[in-house]
């Protein structure tokens, strides 16, 4: 059982002060959370220091799979995710075949995610109020049904682009509730100690299906048409439904449900607004999700108009990006903690890699860049997702994650048509370059905002000072200029309104 609201919300200990060598002063108590840092930037931060944050310990890559309920859940999701990727590829290609327009592909994607933008926060309220396993039985059934209906229309030869639009919107309505419920249900399956690992494996699961789904979809589209891909996707939802029914409820870690009271939407928004370690990652996720993750538009356009190829090449590009994404997710699963610096750095590199892909004239280089772009995109996504979940109070987690998913995928109704219009009007290269620039620029801006929230300032050292080092460094805002101290890692702890409540701000952001 959950230890309850108060215990889950216990503040993290404040690290003991250190001198320039990193050692605590004589007589200071040892900091039990100090791991000495890692070479991959995996230092604890605000995202790792939230209410449910476990102690920083070495995590094996597949440790959460030792839990029976999570194994069943992961297996069902693997089957369903494969079907989902098949439908994504087949749906994009079907719309392009029916209309010949990249904008129409963007409209389809926008309609699928428009319900998340309109009603996303309500999905979080339902996730916080209701039994998550029962909710998932309903939402997964509804999502499977949309695939079966689209299959029937396509195989019968009566499909029209309007049908695709309507069913995409219906799928989006089910996703409004399914997404935050499924995200937070993982915590009930594995508990807080394995949550970060489970989130990473979920992403690896989804992206591994991306290796199989597009390849199978490409073969089916070429051989027998899109309808069979839709049919297999609808049937694939039987796997997660069976998994939910086979779970042992007495082995779960149920969290406290939010009471049915008024003002819960405002409460969730206020909670995020007053916690910088939640607010700024969600802002960055919103911009990258809206403008940087429009691959159905860009890859179809590059395949058709730049490289003059067909569905097989489109599937290949998706598969290459998935290989990189799986690599990024599995590497994230090995980390016992995440840093805000890692999140921001991955977003910046993601934007730069997309920009390079946009201007390269060679197909082989464009295809090769999908690997690191996928890895950086997933590293950013997993780090932000796990950090936000662990920094949230369990009773608020559904609403926090609904806002996270709302800005991540709910911005697609804005970004999808806009990127589609730029792609149609100015060419695929201009569309991809626009998304790349926005992603990288906002990541840099959020990095400065997080540094400011942590009480740090940025300095550019052009020569070696008394403390050594050069380049861009973060250092305490109040540090004396003449002290010559190096950039340090800080964990500012601020007090919220209300008795006994504390929060970590943006966390360790040293360079």
């Amino acid at each position: 059982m959950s230890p309850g609201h108060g215990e889950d919300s216990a503040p993290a200990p404040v690290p003991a002060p250190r001198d320039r060598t990193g050692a605590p002063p004589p007589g200071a108590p040892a900091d039990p959370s100090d791991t000495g840092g890692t070479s991959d930037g995996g230092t604890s931060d605000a995202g790792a220091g939230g209410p449910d944050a476990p102690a920083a310990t070495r995590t094996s890559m597949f440790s959460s799979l030792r839990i029976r309920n999570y194994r069943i859940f992961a297996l069902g999701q693997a089957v369903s995710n494969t079907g989902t990727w098949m439908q994504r590829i087949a749906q994009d290609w079907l719309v392009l075949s029916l209309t010949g327009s990249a904008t129409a592909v963007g409209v389809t994607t926008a309609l699928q995610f428009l319900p998340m933008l309109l009603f996303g926060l309500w999905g979080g309220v339902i996730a916080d109020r209701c039994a998550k396993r029962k909710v998932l039985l309903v939402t997964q059934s509804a999502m499977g049904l949309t695939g079966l209906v689209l299959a029937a229309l396509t195989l019968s030869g009566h499909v029209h682009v309007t049908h695709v639009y309507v069913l995409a919107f219906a799928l989006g309505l089910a996703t409004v509730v399914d997404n935050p419920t499924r995200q937070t249900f993982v915590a009930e399956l594995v508990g807080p100690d394995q949550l970060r690992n489970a989130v990473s494996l979920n992403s690896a699961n989804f992206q591994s299906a991306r290796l199989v789904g597009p390849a199978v979809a490409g073969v089916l589209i070429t051989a027998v048409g899109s309808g069979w891909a839709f049919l297999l996707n609808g049937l694939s939802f039987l796997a997660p439904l069976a998994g939910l029914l086979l779970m042992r409820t007495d082995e779960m870690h149920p969290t406290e449900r939010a009471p049915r009271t008024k003002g819960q939407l405002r409460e969730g928004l206020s909670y995020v607004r007053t916690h910088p370690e939640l607010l700024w990652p969600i802002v960055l996720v919103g911009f990258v999700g809206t403008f940087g993750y429009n691959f159905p538009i860009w890859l179809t356009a590059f395949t058709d108009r730049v490289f003059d190829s067909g569905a097989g090449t489109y599937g290949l590009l998706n598969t290459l990006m998935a290989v990189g994404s799986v690599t990024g997710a599995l590497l994230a699963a090995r980390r016992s903690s995440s840093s805000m610096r890692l999140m921001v750095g991955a977003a910046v590199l993601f934007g730069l890699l997309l920009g390079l892909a946009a201007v390269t004239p060679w197909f082989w280089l464009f295809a090769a860049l999908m690997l690191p772009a996928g890895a950086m995109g997933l590293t950013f996504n997993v780090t932000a997702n796990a950090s936000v979940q662990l920094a949230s109070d369990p009773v608020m987690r559904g609403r926090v994650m609904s806002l996270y998913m709302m800005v991540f995928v709910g911005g697609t109704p804005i970004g999808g048509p806009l990127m589609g219009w730029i792609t149609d009007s100015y060419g695929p290269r201009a569309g991809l370059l626009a998304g790349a620039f926005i992603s990288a620029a906002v990541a840099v801006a959020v990095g400065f905002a997080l540094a400011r929230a942590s009480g740090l300032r940025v300095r550019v050292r052009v020569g070696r000072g008394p403390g050594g080092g050069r380049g861009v460094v973060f250092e305490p805002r109040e540090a004396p200029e003449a002290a010559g101290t190096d950039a340090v890692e800080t964990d500012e702890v601020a007090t919220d309104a209300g008795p006994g409540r504390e929060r970590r701000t943006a966390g360790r952001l040293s360079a």
Side-chain angles (χ1 to χ4, degrees):
M1 295 292 291
S2 170
H5 182 83
E7 189 170 342
D8 275 334
S9 303
V14 182
R18 298 177 181 272
D19 62 20
R20 288 178 56 192
T21 65
D31 180 5
S33 66
D34 184 17
T35 62
T38 58
S39 60
D40 64 359
T43 55
S44 65
D45 62 9
D52 265 350
T57 56
R58 178 64 62 181
T59 302
S60 66
M61 186 176 289
F62 303 104
S63 57
S64 57
L65 290 176
R66 300 189 187 106
I67 301 170
R68 177 185 179 275
N69 282 341
Y70 181 73
R71 280 201 309 274
I72 295 174
F73 175 82
L75 179 61
Q77 290 299 307
V79 176
S80 177
N81 287 337
T82 301
T84 297
W85 275 111
M86 291 172 59
Q87 174 149 328
R88 282 193 178 189
I89 301 300
Q91 179 177 280
D92 295 340
W93 203 256
L94 175 63
V95 171
L96 189 65
S97 300
L98 292 172
T99 65
S101 169
T103 301
V105 177
V107 169
T108 305
T109 305
L111 287 171
Q112 184 168 328
F113 297 116
L114 180 62
M116 183 66 73
L117 180 64
L118 298 177
F119 313 114
L121 289 177
W122 287 107
V125 172
I126 294 172
D128 282 337
R129 284 180 177 178
C130 302
K132 296 177 177 58
R133 179 168 162 268
K134 294 180 180 178
V135 172
L136 289 175
L137 286 169
V138 175
T139 58
Q140 294 281 299
S141 299
M143 294 166 75
L145 184 61
T146 61
L148 294 176
V149 172
L150 185 56
L153 289 169
T154 306
L155 291 173
S156 65
H158 294 93
V159 69
H160 187 271
V161 69
T162 305
H163 299 143
V164 183
Y165 288 164
V166 171
L167 288 169
F169 187 80
L171 179 62
L173 287 174
T175 305
V176 165
V177 180
D178 182 85
N179 229 319
T181 306
R182 184 162 37 85
Q183 294 272 345
T184 55
F185 184 57
V186 173
E188 295 194 0
L189 294 178
V190 302
D193 290 347
Q194 294 293 333
L195 179 58
R196 189 184 306 277
N197 179 262
V199 169
S200 299
L201 290 183
N202 279 353
S203 296
N205 187 329
F206 186 70
Q207 298 300 327
S208 297
R210 192 175 181 177
L211 296 173
V212 180
V216 175
V219 172
L220 288 175
I221 293 170
T222 303
V224 293
S226 301
W228 290 100
F230 301 142
L231 177 62
L232 291 177
N233 175 56
L235 295 176
S236 72
F237 281 91
L238 294 174
L241 290 171
L244 290 168
L245 294 173
L246 290 172
M247 288 179 181
R248 297 171 181 168
T249 56
D250 59 334
E251 296 179 6
M252 293 184 182
H253 304 260
T255 55
E256 180 184 356
R257 295 189 202 173
R260 295 176 178 271
T261 59
K262 293 182 178 180
Q264 288 181 311
L265 288 181
R266 291 193 302 272
E267 182 185 12
L269 291 173
S270 177
Y271 180 78
V272 171
R273 180 177 57 81
T274 56
H275 289 71
E277 72 275 21
L278 300 176
L279 175 63
W280 290 113
I282 288 176
V283 168
L284 180 54
V285 162
F287 274 94
V288 174
T290 299
F291 300 105
Y293 276 36
N294 292 285
F295 297 108
I297 299 170
W298 294 324
L299 295 187
T300 52
F302 267 84
T303 300
D304 185 46
R305 296 163 57 182
V306 177
F307 302 122
D308 194 23
S309 298
T313 298
Y314 179 54
L316 172 64
L317 293 175
N318 277 276
T319 300
L320 289 172
M321 178 163 281
V323 171
S325 299
V326 171
T327 302
L330 291 178
L331 290 176
R334 292 179 60 87
R335 298 188 183 98
S336 58
S337 60
S338 302
S339 68
M340 293 292 180
R341 182 175 58 184
L342 174 64
M343 178 191 71
V344 171
V348 172
L349 286 175
F350 174 71
L352 294 177
L353 288 166
L354 291 187
L356 182 57
V359 299
T360 182
W362 303 293
F363 171 77
W364 63 267
L365 181 55
F366 181 91
L369 286 169
M370 295 300 101
L371 292 166
M376 287 299 103
L378 240 292
T379 298
F380 160 70
N381 194 9
V382 167
T383 305
N385 188 307
S387 296
V388 168
Q389 286 209 53
L390 287 169
S392 305
D393 191 304
V395 78
M396 300 291 297
R397 189 173 288 148
R399 278 163 285 180
V400 172
M401 291 309 297
S402 69
L403 179 61
Y404 177 98
M405 296 307 301
M406 184 180 77
V407 301
F408 182 50
V409 300
T412 304
I414 300 171
L418 178 59
M419 292 296 107
W421 174 78
I422 294 175
T423 299
D424 277 341
S425 300
Y426 301 99
R429 297 189 187 279
L432 182 55
L433 194 61
F437 174 78
I438 293 173
S439 298
V442 175
V444 171
V446 168
F448 279 97
L450 284 169
R452 183 177 181 83
S454 292
L456 303 175
R457 64 178 177 181
V458 180
R459 290 191 64 190
V460 179
R461 291 180 176 171
V462 296
R464 293 192 176 275
R470 67 180 66 185
V472 179
V473 296
F474 292 95
E475 61 183 22
R477 189 176 299 277
E478 301 301 327
E481 293 285 345
T485 57
D486 293 331
V488 297
E489 294 186 340
T490 63
D491 253 334
E492 178 185 349
V493 179
T495 303
D496 285 333
R501 308 286 291 181
E502 291 182 338
R503 61 175 169 83
R504 288 178 184 251
T505 56
R508 297 180 177 175
L509 274 166
S510 68

